[in-house]
Amino acid sequence: AFIFSLSRFKENRKDDIWLVDFYAPWCGHCKKLEPVWNEVGIEMRNMGSPVKVGKMDATSFSSIASEFGVRGYPTIKLLKGDLAYNYRGPRTKDDIIEFANRVAGPLIRPLPSQHMFEHVQKRHRVLFVYVGGESPLKEKYIEVASELIVYTYFFSASEDVLPEYVTLPELPAVMVFKDGTYFVYDEYEDGDLSSWINRERFQGYLHVDGFTLYELGDTGKLVAIAVIDDKNSSVEHTRLKSIIQEVARDYRDHFHRDFQFGHMDGNDYINSLLMDDVTIPTIVVLNTSNQQYFLPDRHIESTEDMVQFINNILDGTAEAQGGDGLLQRIKRIIYDAKSTIMSVFKSSPLLGCFLFGLPLGVISIMCYGICTADTEGEVFEHEGAKKECGDRELTDEGSEEEQEEEKNGKYTEISDGELKQKDIMEKKKD
């Protein structure tokens, strides 16, 4: 069901759970999401979900959009009571539905049996579990779950439900199961529970893409990536991928607080990120918080080489490139403009000529018109001056009578002058 009545939405918002797409009619991304959103609404209704799916024109109902902090389009939010949860995942039907079902359900989901635990563990690559009874740690766990449920599920279980290989130093405890093993939260070693869960919600090794990098920005970790071609089975490509995997597995205790590891298929995204042509296969370490990056100063031949490279980054001896300074921002603007123009010409040369050639042509015509107008203005002014001078010549000449009067006037002036001079001479004689 979609939101057609604003009054209905206002009346029932806090009683119901709403999944809302805030859109703008002119937004291209919103139009692209529309068929996916229709599928989400149909499937949620068919599965009997309590979540009501709706959409709202944020430009028409700007007060409501502002109330929920909508700043861009499309914005997907799940409204649950007084809380509003932002969806930041891929805009696919399955991902949106999974998000809605996770956030709409209970914050902490109990695991009452070993069978249920095994079933849930198979479905989740990363699994957070609270073990124990009521405690301040559980209260903190619930608080963190209310914040981070947009990213992952949270479960609770008794100690006898856990697999036999699990050993806990004490209860209560918070654990994460991933990468074929488990890790126990230690407040002294790991710091704040929220920060620990935010760091641990990813597997130790990932297939990295643009969206994953965006999400990893919240962890504060550096991201060490083998940039390879997944379709290329040559020794060099597979070797770099294996080196990153080995470091992620064997050196977890040394690096997992500061580093995330993975590989990226192809160099297109990295090229745009670094504003450079990166030859693959290669290794890049990205700092998603300030857009800096590190490239090894020598060929990475082994795990030991990679460990040394990471240690150089940690101790500050490796040279950082890029960043978010003023020069880099200017470079980014130029690079993005150049990339946009090149992509338009590459995809459609005719469209590129129209989009960029037409404005240049108009500007050229305007400049030519201005220059021509200035030149002609000067000619007209000059000719006007000549004409005015000519008119004056004709007027100055006048008739014969006027010329005669003028001559008489001149003589009169001279005679007067002479008379004055005579008077002065006579006074001198006297």
Side-chain angles (χ1 to χ4, degrees):
F2 291 94
I3 300 174
F4 293 109
S5 170
L6 181 62
S7 59
R8 179 188 166 204
F9 171 71
K10 286 183 175 180
E11 289 172 5
N12 303 326
R13 185 182 74 75
K14 292 189 178 181
D15 298 328
D16 298 324
I17 301 174
W18 287 91
L19 181 68
V20 183
D21 166 28
F22 293 91
Y23 71 96
W26 44 260
C27 169
H29 294 293
C30 301
K31 292 176 182 177
K32 188 176 180 181
L33 176 64
E34 187 172 356
V36 175
W37 197 252
N38 291 335
E39 292 177 6
V40 169
I42 292 169
E43 187 156 330
M44 294 287 283
R45 184 175 64 243
N46 291 342
M47 68 172 61
S49 172
V51 178
K52 299 182 183 300
V53 180
K55 58 191 297 186
M56 179 176 290
D57 182 350
T59 61
S60 298
F61 304 107
S62 56
S63 60
I64 295 179
S66 178
E67 178 186 345
F68 293 115
V70 175
R71 295 182 179 84
Y73 311 111
T75 292
I76 298 172
K77 287 179 178 281
L78 187 132
L79 311 178
K80 184 180 179 182
D82 293 323
L83 301 175
Y85 295 91
N86 282 338
Y87 176 68
R88 297 172 58 184
R91 291 168 187 159
T92 65
K93 181 192 73 172
D94 292 339
D95 286 302
I96 294 172
I97 290 175
E98 199 272 341
F99 162 82
N101 289 333
R102 180 173 70 248
V103 179
L107 284 177
I108 312 297
R109 299 166 189 251
L111 300 174
S113 65
Q114 286 187 351
H115 176 73
M116 180 62 74
F117 186 95
E118 292 170 1
H119 171 72
V120 170
Q121 192 174 18
K122 288 177 182 177
R123 291 188 59 195
H124 299 275
R125 295 175 179 177
V126 178
L127 183 67
F128 290 99
V129 182
Y130 172 83
V131 185
E134 298 298 323
S135 69
L137 181 61
K138 184 175 184 179
E139 292 176 5
K140 181 66 177 176
Y141 184 71
I142 294 171
E143 180 185 333
V144 172
S146 67
E147 174 192 353
L148 299 182
I149 197 170
V150 293
Y151 300 119
T152 187
Y153 287 90
F154 293 87
F155 298 89
S156 65
S158 59
E159 192 173 10
D160 58 351
V161 168
L162 302 178
E164 294 181 358
Y165 62 81
V166 174
T167 303
L168 292 175
E170 60 181 2
L171 291 178
V174 176
M175 313 171 61
V176 59
F177 291 82
K178 66 176 185 178
D179 301 332
T181 185
Y182 69 95
F183 306 98
V184 183
Y185 166 68
D186 184 326
E187 185 176 4
Y188 179 76
E189 292 286 337
D190 301 315
D192 181 64
L193 179 61
S194 178
S195 299
W196 180 77
I197 290 177
N198 200 34
R199 290 196 306 268
E200 295 292 344
R201 64 187 175 90
F202 297 96
Q203 292 177 281
Y205 181 89
L206 297 170
H207 183 178
V208 180
D209 56 16
F211 174 73
T212 308
L213 278 177
Y214 172 74
E215 284 226 302
L216 287 171
D218 293 336
T219 67
K221 290 184 178 183
L222 299 173
V223 187
I225 305 172
V227 187
I228 62 173
D229 182 355
D230 272 338
K231 296 177 182 178
N232 192 324
S233 58
S234 65
V235 175
E236 184 66 8
H237 285 256
T238 55
R239 184 178 59 81
L240 285 183
K241 183 178 177 180
S242 297
I243 287 173
I244 296 290
Q245 287 174 327
E246 289 174 15
V247 172
R249 182 186 67 241
D250 299 339
Y251 292 84
R252 172 187 158 82
D253 291 342
H254 295 85
F255 301 135
H256 82 278
R257 288 181 177 84
D258 302 303
F259 278 84
Q260 175 65 51
F261 299 93
H263 80 275
M264 180 174 281
D265 182 21
N267 61 349
D268 290 343
Y269 188 86
I270 287 292
N271 286 347
S272 64
L273 205 62
L274 273 54
M275 295 181 285
D276 198 0
D277 292 326
V278 177
T279 304
I280 57 173
T282 190
I283 287 176
V284 179
V285 175
L286 301 171
N287 187 335
T288 56
S289 64
N290 62 7
Q291 299 179 30
Q292 286 185 341
Y293 62 92
F294 301 85
L295 298 173
D297 56 0
R298 57 195 175 92
H299 201 57
I300 302 295
E301 296 286 351
S302 63
T303 303
E304 290 72 22
D305 289 341
M306 187 64 200
V307 170
Q308 183 61 51
F309 177 42
I310 291 174
N311 283 326
N312 290 343
I313 293 172
L314 290 174
D315 63 26
T317 57
E319 181 186 359
Q321 303 181 53
D324 54 4
L326 179 60
L327 291 177
Q328 284 296 121
R329 293 178 187 179
I330 295 172
K331 185 179 178 183
R332 168 61 63 188
I333 292 171
I334 296 171
Y335 179 86
D336 289 343
K338 180 181 175 183
S339 300
T340 302
I341 294 171
M342 293 300 292
S343 63
V344 170
F345 273 100
K346 187 175 180 181
S347 61
S348 177
L350 189 60
L351 179 62
C353 291
F354 177 78
L355 289 177
F356 301 106
L358 182 60
L360 289 175
V362 171
I363 292 170
S364 300
I365 292 171
M366 289 175 64
C367 292
Y368 175 77
I370 291 169
C371 295
T372 306
D374 288 345
T375 305
E376 290 176 351
E378 290 176 2
V379 172
F380 292 151
E381 186 178 350
H382 179 66
E383 289 179 351
K386 289 174 75 176
K387 185 176 180 182
E388 187 178 346
C389 292
D391 291 343
R392 284 180 181 174
E393 288 175 0
L394 291 172
T395 305
D396 288 344
E397 285 180 3
S399 61
E400 290 181 1
E401 293 177 358
E402 289 173 344
Q403 291 180 27
E404 188 65 30
E405 289 176 0
E406 189 176 51
K407 285 179 182 179
N408 294 335
K410 286 179 183 177
Y411 294 147
T412 304
E413 289 175 7
I414 294 171
S415 299
D416 291 342
E418 288 176 353
L419 289 171
K420 289 178 182 178
Q421 194 172 9
K422 285 181 180 179
D423 290 338
I424 293 168
M425 291 298 292
E426 288 176 358
K427 285 179 181 179
K428 282 181 180 181
K429 286 180 180 179
D430 296 339

